[in-house]
Amino acid sequence: MRFPSRKVFMKDWMVTSLFLLLSLVLVGYFVYVCIGWNVIVSLSDWKGLTPSYNIAGFDQYLSLFHDQVFLTSLKNNLILILLFVPGSLFLGLFLAILLDLKVRGEGAFRSIYLLPFALSFVITATLWAWMYNLDVGVINTLLEKIGLGFLRPMWVADPNIAMYCVVLALIWQFSGYTMLIFLGGIRSIPESQIRAAEVDGASGFDLYRYVVIPQLKAPALSAFIVLMVFALKAFDFIYILTGGGPGWSTYVLALMMFKETFRKNQFAYGGAIATILFLLALVIVVPYLYLSFRREKE
Amino acid sequence: MVSLSYRQKRLLSQTIMYAVAAIIMIYCLFPIAWIFITSIKPPGAEFHIPIEYIPSKVSLDNYIEIFVEHKFHYYLLNSLVVASATTILVLAIGSLSAYAIARLRFKFRISSLLTILVVGMMPSIVMILPIFLIIRELGLMNTWLGLIITHAVFSLPITVWLLASYFAELPFDLEDAAKIDGYTPSSIYRKIIMPLSVPGLFSAGILAFIASWGEFMFALTLTHTIQARTALVLITTLPGAYHLKWGMINAGVILTLIPIIVIVLVFQKWVMRGLTAGAVKY
């Protein structure tokens, strides 16, 4: 028998670093260096097209908190966290329980349920914009048909409810995804446990309440993280559906950052918003990764 | 109360089951079906009141218009080239790293993995201005390549994650045997791991393709003209004389939707595995 020599091990080490190098360089440059650069810019007074790295300290951040648009954006991200995240989770759980039955052709059903999530935000935002259309939108027309025509909400054109219309549409897109996550979780519960509970007389609601749902913590957590991160970074969908309007009623942090940077050339100001967004994302991601990789090591 | 026989009960529950499945299906599909119905009405008919749920006249004029007036095929080509090249690039880079992380023993294994994975959880808009400046500096503004590189970076996390978990499931005996036979790590990778990993590569590749095809923010900022702009970005910028030409917009949506529907239905097992493994949207 021939054991790998020391030379092969040296080569091992070199090959490993080569294998990793390209990914790490790309990610390092395009992500980590960029984030750092962004922080520096956010501390400067760079406006307009010529770079300026004059240190302005926390001026940008201070003015952010006096900016009504920023406060509205922050509030709207909070609405996403408080309504969109639980909304998608609960609807997904509800749909998963409804579907936790042996249906023939389930594979086909599943891919149809997942379809909205696989679609680009460009497509889903466009189709919701068309459905919310005031005069010929299908939602208002259907309302009229069932005798609720007097309501005729203005949907995304009404600054008071526009953000909630965004939430509704997003829940539609993500509920298929959460449903499948929960369905996978339900299916991985051993059949014997369900049987045992049934023998003990648990059925219907109780079976789910006491046996199934408590075992869905892991899938719920991973879906929760995905949704939370999305609630922070939401951009495309809102940019296309409402453009932030009417007024700035549907602005979110990412949208405000984009407009400050690319429409107004307020690079330092945009950088400050981006930095805040980055820090908020860290608050969600770091504990999650810490928990899941600590478990992995054990 | 009417008592039902076992058979009747079974029939009833079966019926309810399928009814529920069908209602959820309509919930998911109705908006897409509505787009399609609008797109096959004659141009302008989408604004007629009362709305026709089933068009009395079917016309492909909206589709013809978007190709003739806006040269939509060029934008579709841009999307196709960018998404395919992104897929190939990210598989090439990502599979190497995934292999190292899953199969080789070295000190910074977990930290390397985390360094790459965290990217997938960061709002990519945080990096948009520096990336915009880098791409401009490199002279890649409004080119396929600029968008390909950017998309590849943001597809790396999910690709590495999927492939690493795939590689980790392959039996280690294979490598031990190969090492004894004198194979080096790179030849193990090429001759043993790669051929066994076709399904994993396929699954990761499909996701990278879907993500790149549907990406909006970078495509909007890094491309500007017919030379490189992707089909989906064009749809959002279609002009209208008085109001938006919704028939034509919807025709564009259907055209960009078809590849995704085909992929999801044909490769459902692979897509499912990847989509539920993590967020693919960056």
Side-chain angles (χ1 to χ4, degrees):
Chain A
M1 202 189 268
R2 194 157 62 88
F3 285 101
S5 62
R6 201 189 162 77
K7 216 166 125 198
V8 173
F9 270 119
M10 270 310 285
K11 260 180 150 175
D12 244 34
W13 180 82
M14 271 165 55
V15 169
T16 307
S17 27
L18 273 179
F19 277 15
L20 277 169
L21 194 66
L22 212 44
S23 293
L24 291 180
V25 165
L26 269 181
V27 165
Y29 190 52
F30 276 83
V31 179
Y32 292 94
V33 171
C34 286
I35 289 176
W37 181 88
N38 209 26
V39 175
I40 296 171
V41 166
S42 78
L43 298 173
S44 75
D45 60 358
W46 182 359
K47 280 179 199 175
L49 293 171
T50 39
S52 147
Y53 294 103
N54 293 330
I55 291 299
F58 290 98
D59 285 7
Q60 310 295 347
Y61 294 89
L62 290 177
S63 35
L64 268 181
F65 284 94
H66 296 290
D67 187 335
Q68 207 52 49
V69 181
F70 176 76
L71 296 175
T72 309
S73 307
L74 209 55
K75 191 193 86 194
N76 284 336
N77 278 100
L78 197 66
I79 289 180
L80 285 178
I81 289 173
L82 292 179
L83 293 180
F84 157 73
V85 174
S88 307
L89 284 174
F90 283 117
L91 187 59
L93 180 64
F94 177 69
L95 296 177
I97 290 174
L98 277 186
L99 258 192
D100 175 34
L101 320 139
K102 310 279 177 293
V103 178
R104 218 178 300 157
E106 195 188 287
F109 278 124
R110 278 183 178 218
S111 23
I112 286 168
Y113 299 146
L114 199 54
L115 190 60
F117 185 66
L119 296 183
S120 164
F121 288 123
V122 176
I123 288 174
T124 54
T126 309
L127 63 86
W128 277 95
W130 176 231
M131 291 202 302
Y132 278 142
N133 187 295
L134 289 184
D135 307 314
V136 290
V138 72
I139 300 181
N140 269 352
T141 341
L142 285 176
L143 276 183
E144 227 152 81
K145 248 199 174 152
I146 56 172
L148 294 172
F150 61 92
L151 285 175
R152 281 197 89 84
M154 307 252 289
W155 302 114
V156 283
D158 179 345
N160 293 317
I161 60 165
M163 195 59 208
Y164 302 101
C165 297
V166 169
V167 170
L168 198 70
L170 281 173
I171 290 178
W172 170 77
Q173 183 164 14
F174 280 80
S175 55
Y177 161 73
T178 47
M179 176 186 77
L180 283 178
I181 295 278
F182 282 125
L183 201 56
I186 294 176
R187 289 288 154 80
S188 67
I189 297 171
E191 189 92 344
S192 57
Q193 278 188 28
I194 308 270
R195 284 280 147 72
E198 276 172 349
V199 169
D200 289 345
S203 69
F205 184 74
D206 281 348
L207 184 67
Y208 284 104
R209 168 88 173 70
Y210 294 108
V211 182
V212 174
I213 293 176
Q215 301 204 46
L216 296 178
K217 277 183 201 135
L221 180 65
S222 68
F224 175 75
I225 295 295
V226 168
L227 295 171
M228 282 295 276
V229 169
F230 178 77
L232 282 184
K233 71 180 177 189
F235 169 75
D236 320 27
F237 191 86
I238 298 175
Y239 183 88
I240 296 160
L241 181 56
T242 68
W248 57 74
S249 60
T250 53
Y251 263 59
V252 283
L253 291 178
L255 189 81
M256 184 186 180
M257 186 272 163
F258 189 86
K259 294 217 167 172
E260 289 294 335
T261 306
F262 291 104
R263 301 283 178 267
K264 299 190 196 160
N265 295 324
Q266 297 280 358
F267 292 144
Y269 205 48
I273 303 171
T275 305
I276 289 176
L277 211 48
F278 165 69
L279 293 175
L280 289 174
L282 279 190
V283 170
I284 295 169
V285 169
V286 169
Y288 173 67
L289 286 178
Y290 178 74
L291 283 176
S292 44
F293 278 86
R294 198 187 53 178
R295 209 180 304 144
E296 190 124 306
K297 267 183 190 162
E298 276 164 8
Chain B
M1 206 169 145
V2 192
S3 62
L4 297 168
S5 71
Y6 175 72
R7 246 206 171 157
Q8 283 171 315
K9 263 188 192 162
R10 222 181 107 82
L11 191 70
L12 186 70
S13 69
Q14 286 273 333
T15 318
I16 293 173
M17 218 159 75
Y18 280 102
V20 166
I23 289 170
I24 303 178
M25 196 167 89
I26 292 169
Y27 163 81
C28 292
L29 287 187
F30 173 76
I32 300 166
W34 183 237
I35 287 275
F36 177 70
I37 290 169
T38 311
S39 76
I40 56 168
K41 291 179 181 174
E46 70 267 31
F47 296 110
H48 288 175
I49 295 174
I51 293 185
E52 289 180 336
Y53 294 99
I54 297 157
S56 56
K57 222 179 120 201
V58 171
S59 136
L60 289 178
D61 287 355
N62 285 317
Y63 291 87
I64 296 168
E65 207 180 321
I66 199 170
F67 280 114
V68 174
E69 263 183 39
H70 296 283
K71 300 197 168 65
F72 199 54
H73 39 293
Y74 286 103
Y75 296 92
L76 285 173
L77 177 73
N78 291 337
S79 288
L80 184 68
V81 171
V82 169
S84 315
T86 300
T87 306
I88 294 166
L89 182 63
V90 80
L91 283 182
I93 304 171
S95 63
L96 286 172
S97 309
Y99 174 73
I101 286 166
R103 311 290 287 193
L104 303 177
R105 270 155 290 160
F106 61 100
K107 215 175 169 183
F108 302 108
R109 211 173 63 94
I110 296 286
S111 30
S112 311
L113 178 63
L114 280 178
T115 309
I116 296 171
L117 284 191
V118 168
V119 174
M121 305 175 119
M122 281 297 129
S124 49
I125 198 155
V126 173
M127 290 74 96
I128 192 156
L129 176 62
I131 288 179
F132 174 84
L133 297 174
I134 292 171
I135 295 292
R136 198 174 62 182
E137 219 44 44
L138 292 172
L140 294 177
M141 196 48 89
N142 202 26
T143 63
W144 288 339
L145 188 59
L147 200 53
I148 291 166
I149 295 173
T150 314
H151 282 180
V153 169
F154 288 95
S155 271
L156 256 184
I158 185 78
T159 309
V160 169
W161 177 245
L162 282 175
L163 289 179
S165 23
Y166 191 88
F167 290 155
E169 284 166 20
L170 299 175
F172 273 86
D173 301 352
L174 285 173
E175 265 157 325
D176 295 340
K179 260 184 204 158
I180 290 162
D181 288 344
Y183 279 67
T184 59
S186 57
S187 55
I188 293 176
Y189 173 74
R190 263 184 299 120
K191 292 187 185 147
I192 296 172
I193 301 291
M194 274 300 109
L196 283 173
S197 304
V198 173
L201 290 170
F202 206 73
S203 169
I206 286 173
L207 286 178
F209 187 92
I210 293 180
S212 169
W213 180 272
E215 199 278 329
F216 175 71
M217 189 181 62
F218 288 113
L220 176 72
T221 20
L222 301 181
T223 65
H224 303 111
T225 66
I226 194 164
Q227 268 190 313
R229 184 150 262 196
T230 59
L232 279 162
V233 179
L234 179 79
I235 290 174
T236 66
T237 57
L238 284 175
Y242 299 103
H243 43 55
L244 292 172
K245 290 182 175 176
W246 274 105
M248 191 168 72
I249 292 175
N250 287 342
V253 167
I254 292 296
L255 289 168
T256 53
L257 190 74
I258 290 168
I260 303 301
I261 292 190
V262 170
I263 289 174
V264 170
L265 293 183
V266 173
F267 304 112
Q268 34 171 304
K269 222 188 290 166
W270 287 285
V271 177
M272 199 84 65
R273 184 180 162 157
L275 277 182
T276 48
V280 281
K281 294 176 169 351
Y282 37 87

